[in-house]
Amino acid sequence: MKLSKTLYFLMTGLALQVPAVGATADSAADSAYFARKHKMLTATWHSPFSYVDTRTNHAPLGPYMGNGDVGVVAFTSDNSQTLKISKVDFVTDGWTDWAGSGPAALPVGGVRIAVDAPLRPGHYDINRPDKRAFCYEMDQLRSELRMNTATAPQVQMTSWMSMDENIIVTEVSNPSKHPVHLTVDTYADTFTPVYATTAAVEGDVAQVSRQTKTEKVRWVCQAGISTRIIGAKARVERLDGSMVRSTFEVPATGTVRIAVCVSGAGTANDAQLPQSGKRLQQLSSAGAVDQLKKDKESWWRDMWTRSYVETHDSLLDRHYLSSVYLLASGYNRHSPVCGGMYGVWNMEDRMMYHGDIHLNYNSQAGFYSVFSANRPELALPFYKTIEMLIPEGQRRAREEMGVMHPSWKGKSCRGILFPVGALGIGVFYNYYWQQTMDAPFCIPLFSWYYEYTGDLDFLRQHAYPYIRLCGDFYEDYLKREPYGQSYRYSIITGGHENSWDVNPPSDLAFVEQTFRLLLRYSRLLGVDKQRRKLWADIVSHMPAYKVIMPKEKPNQGQPVYAKNEDGWDWPAHAIQLHALYPCEVLHLRSDSTALQIARNTLQYYQVDQKGFTGVMNELGLSTFVMGARAGFEPQVLIDSMKTLIRTAAPNFLIIDGHHCAEKTAVIETVNSMMLQSVDDILYLFPCWPAKPASFTRLRAKGAFVVSAEYDGRQVTSLTIHSDRGTPCRIKHPWPGKTLVVETGGKRVAVSTRSGICTFATKAGGTYTLSAQ
């Protein structure tokens, strides 16, 4: 499979400059904040949890960690832990199930670490904690998994992984006065016989590999696991064709390290076992391993301090921060390709939806929060994969319109047409479900990287070309038709999966966003002047969203938006509010009547009909973000989020059997309640209740990094850092008073008009705002 030139630039870093944190971190304040949050970010198990307990073909059920390429999920017994391992680009071809045929993500295998010692008698009593009893912790702040075995003597294990290379380390400590014998089994998964395995011993290194299907496929893929014991002499023996065993002793009061290297994957059919064995040999000293750990700690320290919020609600804060952990573990610059809905945690051969990147919102929603959370580089793997899909998307627009819907048989379009599913290695699978929004659903993410970072190179080389491809498609797909005394550009498409609708607001919003962005960006870049007349004409002749009176009971008797022009009223999934989010063509500065109807729709669908808490994935579908962007009742949003968070599994993930990463939309919801960028104007705490709150280093459009405190009545502290030196516009935080802006002890001129304050900034400058 050849890389496109654009993708090559992305992967080699020639086209992207990853933004720095922005504002200078306050190490003392940051340390104090995370010291307060450490306990809430540590999940604890006081009894063993088996493979059966944690087995899942969707979101992880057990303790987990990841580095954007490799995923780990643990399960245990009284005397052992198993680290089950997956790799994001380990993908087979030729898998068929109810969801479709084609590529599917697979696990690689795992490492089981067992203490060969008798179990300590007795059981754990939660009312009488015993340090010698079984205990397992997932420390998200430190990205560590810690276990105290229930053996006599007790053994302590601490597992962590490098964030820059695929090395997993388990430190095994023996505090007793006698040596303890351990067994480590390195294995390749054997659940599905068609996937071949190997097992071998190379010196003191245990090595296994797993291979994808080899017949009637477009590629063959291999991944490998290598294990070496550091700090003790190990006996290493091959047990069978998929497992190698290492046995050794941990000396009295000593520590031994178990180093695991995960290698291969991609489409080269090479597990790269010699390279991983060589890398493990380089980790012969404790100092080499300690350096890896220091690098890991530094990586996470930077990641955590990018930004954070204080809601003064422990449940909400925990899920917010735990969501940061999930995103940073699943997607980052180390990712060779983008993970699907389940990130790097594809732990079964029969993953739901093949472990795919679901393109009709699910996977995009996993990245909604990274921009305002000042972690935009977490979205880079997504762009890698989407750009790999473009050539096939162009072919499908030319040749498969009739597959999308029979009414388009024999017709073609320019631009790109995506089906619902794809795998990160750049291959589609799944169906169209009569939808045409799957490619445009990526537009917000491409736009936001530029909007929040100010990276013109990214806009020129990646965002604008992609958005223009979607514009090409819409130019051919929209129908210009007479309407009243004028005309309009209508769209007939699947507003929902397998529906067929005239002018569904869900799609109208993407059409409007596409052409508004093309008009703005083409002027900014000085390109495509000849095309702007048509783009402007489409924007000015968009069909109106259908407004109806609600039909289901209970309701408030107020007008709401329907799902299509026929008046479809289905109180589930508020897709007709894509205009609010992610398309952002309806917002706090929009027509007040349109905005009120949006709030009515949220009240009807999400409160009266219990969508917020009763429909499977309204959090991931961004209806909570829609509420924040519409200025909906903030306490309702908070209480509804907390209702969902209370259902979280012991590992803090909200489990519904289908979804995973999109549940992190709680981050964007809270961020939008505290800070919004609307028409390049900053709004502080626009949808927050009359309660104290604060945020530190949230990123705003215009490449601003903002920190603010709120006492429940007014803003009490406000600083703004400017990355790019663009003018800053802000809704007056203290109406009726004079806004004072200072930098470096000098006052900056401020102009105020209609409650909007504007002042000039310099790139790299930090500005303190106060009232006088």
Side-chain angles (χ1 to χ4, degrees):
M1 302 176 70
K2 295 182 178 179
L3 296 178
S4 69
K5 183 180 291 186
T6 303
L7 175 67
Y8 174 78
F9 286 153
L10 270 167
M11 296 184 73
T12 55
L14 297 179
L16 285 177
Q17 295 293 322
V18 178
V21 172
T24 302
D26 183 340
S27 58
D30 295 343
S31 297
Y33 173 86
F34 286 104
R36 295 194 303 271
K37 307 301 181 184
H38 190 190
K39 184 177 180 180
M40 73 167 62
L41 287 172
T42 302
T44 304
W45 290 256
H46 289 301
S47 60
F49 43 95
S50 68
Y51 173 63
V52 173
D53 296 327
T54 59
R55 186 176 185 180
T56 173
N57 65 349
H58 46 86
L61 293 180
Y64 67 92
M65 56 184 180
N67 69 356
D69 186 9
V70 171
V72 172
V73 178
F75 59 90
T76 65
S77 68
D78 289 289
N79 70 322
S80 71
Q81 76 161 338
T82 299
L83 303 178
K84 193 165 174 59
I85 295 169
S86 60
K87 195 173 188 303
V88 71
D89 55 350
F90 186 50
V91 177
T92 190
D93 194 16
W95 177 258
T96 300
D97 61 13
W98 67 271
S101 299
L106 301 174
V108 182
V111 176
R112 179 180 181 268
I113 307 168
V115 179
D116 301 323
L119 299 184
R120 178 179 171 274
H123 300 282
Y124 180 82
D125 183 346
I126 195 169
N127 297 313
R128 301 177 63 185
D130 185 339
K131 293 182 179 179
R132 295 172 296 174
F134 177 95
C135 182
Y136 201 98
E137 293 181 333
M138 175 178 61
D139 185 336
Q140 294 187 332
L141 190 61
R142 294 175 178 166
S143 189
E144 291 180 351
L145 306 180
R146 296 190 293 266
M147 177 180 179
N148 290 342
T149 64
T151 56
Q154 187 177 67
V155 169
Q156 299 162 354
M157 303 185 199
T158 300
S159 300
W160 50 270
M161 62 194 307
S162 169
M163 299 305 293
D164 299 312
E165 54 182 317
N166 295 336
I167 294 177
I168 306 162
V169 176
T170 298
E171 302 167 355
V172 183
S173 298
N174 172 21
S176 77
K177 298 179 180 180
H178 304 283
V180 177
H181 190 270
L182 265 74
T183 298
V184 176
D185 290 335
T186 303
Y187 68 91
D189 268 354
T190 56
F191 286 107
T192 306
V194 71
Y195 304 129
T197 64
T198 67
V201 178
E202 294 294 334
D204 61 352
V205 178
Q207 296 192 310
V208 299
S209 72
R210 196 178 195 214
Q211 187 180 53
T212 61
K213 292 181 66 175
T214 58
E215 297 182 1
K216 298 180 180 180
V217 295
R218 291 166 287 179
W219 67 86
V220 178
C221 177
Q222 285 192 66
I225 302 174
S226 302
T227 303
R228 183 168 181 260
I229 311 305
I230 301 173
K233 184 174 178 57
R235 178 185 178 187
V236 187
E237 58 181 330
R238 181 180 184 271
L239 297 187
D240 56 32
S242 63
M243 183 179 294
V244 178
R245 174 165 291 174
S246 306
T247 56
F248 61 95
E249 282 191 346
V250 182
T253 67
T255 298
V256 172
R257 293 170 171 85
I258 302 165
V260 175
C261 184
V262 184
S263 57
T267 58
N269 194 22
D270 183 3
Q272 299 179 345
L273 293 177
Q275 297 92 318
S276 60
K278 182 178 179 180
R279 178 66 182 112
L280 290 179
Q281 293 295 341
Q282 295 170 351
L283 298 177
S284 295
S285 68
V289 178
D290 289 342
Q291 186 59 54
L292 278 180
K293 191 171 186 179
K294 289 178 182 178
D295 292 343
K296 181 269 296 188
E297 291 169 348
S298 177
W299 193 97
W300 277 104
R301 188 180 305 112
D302 170 72
M303 184 57 58
W304 283 120
T305 55
R306 292 295 184 91
S307 72
Y308 51 87
V309 302
E310 179 58 80
T311 69
H312 300 287
D313 185 301
S314 59
L315 192 63
L316 194 58
D317 282 349
R318 188 200 74 190
H319 194 74
Y320 182 103
L321 293 169
S322 183
S323 295
V324 172
Y325 175 78
L326 176 71
L327 287 176
S329 301
Y331 316 89
N332 56 58
R333 281 173 285 183
H334 182 59
S335 306
V337 298
C338 186
M341 288 195 290
Y342 312 117
V344 292
W345 301 282
N346 297 298
M347 295 298 169
E348 289 290 320
D349 286 351
R350 296 168 174 81
M351 291 298 295
M352 290 288 288
Y353 312 105
H354 296 209
D356 75 341
I357 296 173
H358 230 55
L359 290 166
N360 64 351
Y361 92 81
N362 302 86
S363 288
Q364 292 93 333
F367 297 101
Y368 284 168
S369 303
V370 304
F371 306 97
S372 65
N374 201 15
R375 299 170 177 91
E377 80 282 2
L378 298 186
L380 296 182
F382 183 81
Y383 307 128
K384 290 182 187 180
T385 290
I386 295 303
E387 293 195 338
M388 292 175 74
L389 296 170
I390 286 175
E392 173 63 10
Q394 291 175 305
R395 185 198 68 79
R396 287 170 178 252
R398 292 192 304 268
E399 301 175 12
E400 292 197 2
M401 293 300 295
V403 179
M404 183 276 299
H405 192 268
S407 65
W408 276 84
K409 186 176 181 179
K411 303 176 184 177
S412 67
C413 289
R414 293 170 300 137
I416 49 179
L417 175 69
F418 287 178
V420 171
L423 271 292
I425 60 172
V427 183
F428 287 119
Y429 102 101
N430 210 308
Y431 315 109
Y432 292 104
W433 294 354
Q434 302 186 164
Q435 294 182 306
T436 54
M437 71 173 74
D438 298 319
F441 233 123
C442 303
I443 287 176
L445 297 183
F446 274 92
S447 169
W448 289 336
Y449 193 94
Y450 163 70
E451 296 288 349
Y452 282 85
T453 68
D455 188 338
L456 270 173
D457 287 337
F458 181 86
L459 175 64
R460 182 179 295 108
Q461 298 174 26
H462 304 288
Y464 185 77
Y466 183 85
I467 299 169
R468 186 170 56 191
L469 283 170
C470 294
D472 291 344
F473 178 84
Y474 278 141
E475 284 183 14
D476 292 352
Y477 192 83
L478 296 175
K479 180 181 179 182
R480 187 179 188 272
E481 61 182 11
Y483 187 74
Q485 300 301 310
S486 183
Y487 57 91
R488 66 180 187 176
Y489 292 87
S490 285
I491 186 169
I492 303 177
T493 185
H496 197 272
E497 295 166 355
N498 280 332
S499 67
W500 193 242
D501 310 289
V502 177
N503 292 327
S506 52
D507 291 77
L508 291 175
F510 281 107
V511 173
E512 182 177 355
Q513 180 191 48
T514 297
F515 290 111
R516 285 192 182 278
L517 290 176
L518 286 174
L519 285 167
R520 179 185 173 193
Y521 293 160
S522 67
R523 294 186 181 105
L524 181 63
L525 298 173
V527 298
D528 292 329
K529 181 178 179 180
Q530 73 282 5
R531 302 187 65 177
R532 294 177 202 157
K533 182 178 180 181
L534 174 59
W535 296 343
D537 195 54
I538 293 171
V539 169
S540 61
H541 291 84
M542 293 287 297
Y545 302 164
K546 179 73 172 184
V547 177
I548 61 171
M549 296 303 294
K551 301 172 184 177
E552 302 294 328
K553 302 291 185 179
N555 66 70
Q556 306 298 311
Q558 299 295 320
V560 299
Y561 291 119
K563 282 183 163 63
N564 62 20
E565 198 161 87
D566 293 330
W568 185 18
D569 179 11
W570 179 41
H573 298 324
I575 55 175
Q576 64 266 57
L577 295 181
H578 282 163
L580 280 170
Y581 196 85
C583 295
E584 300 181 315
V585 294
L586 178 62
H587 46 67
L588 294 177
R589 295 178 65 80
S590 295
D591 172 76
S592 60
T593 299
L595 198 58
Q596 184 57 52
I597 295 173
R599 288 192 286 262
N600 295 346
T601 307
L602 286 167
Q603 175 68 38
Y604 172 46
Y605 275 51
Q606 305 303 317
V607 180
D608 296 343
Q609 299 296 318
K610 303 187 185 303
F612 276 143
T613 57
V615 176
M616 180 170 58
N617 199 35
E618 295 302 84
L619 178 58
L621 195 61
S622 75
T623 53
F624 287 85
V625 185
M626 294 171 183
R629 296 303 182 91
F632 194 70
E633 172 54 46
Q635 198 59 52
V636 171
L637 297 177
I638 291 173
D639 291 344
S640 298
M641 282 191 289
K642 289 174 65 177
T643 296
L644 297 177
I645 295 168
R646 289 189 188 98
T647 70
N651 63 4
F652 303 150
L653 295 181
I654 299 174
I655 305 295
D656 65 18
H658 294 266
H659 309 99
C660 182
E662 62 259 46
K663 305 292 189 183
T664 61
V666 69
I667 300 174
E668 182 56 40
T669 303
V670 173
N671 290 355
S672 291
M673 295 175 77
M674 294 188 180
L675 175 68
Q676 291 184 36
S677 308
V678 183
D679 284 349
D680 296 324
I681 300 168
L682 304 183
Y683 283 72
L684 299 174
F685 301 97
C687 188
W688 192 257
K691 297 178 180 179
S694 65
F695 60 85
T696 301
R697 293 186 292 275
L698 293 187
R699 183 169 283 272
K701 292 181 180 179
F704 297 110
V705 180
V706 186
S707 299
E709 296 180 9
Y710 181 67
D711 66 5
R713 296 178 295 108
Q714 64 177 355
V715 175
T716 57
S717 174
L718 175 59
T719 61
I720 299 175
H721 177 88
S722 176
D723 277 356
R724 299 287 178 173
T726 54
C728 181
R729 303 174 69 205
I730 185 170
K731 186 176 185 298
H732 202 316
W734 301 282
K737 297 182 179 181
T738 300
L739 179 66
V740 177
V741 179
E742 294 178 301
T743 181
K746 296 181 180 180
R747 194 157 173 170
V748 178
V750 179
S751 64
T752 303
R753 182 177 180 181
S754 301
I756 306 301
C757 304
T758 305
F759 60 94
T761 73
K762 294 182 178 180
T766 299
Y767 301 83
T768 301
L769 284 68
S770 60
Q772 187 179 78

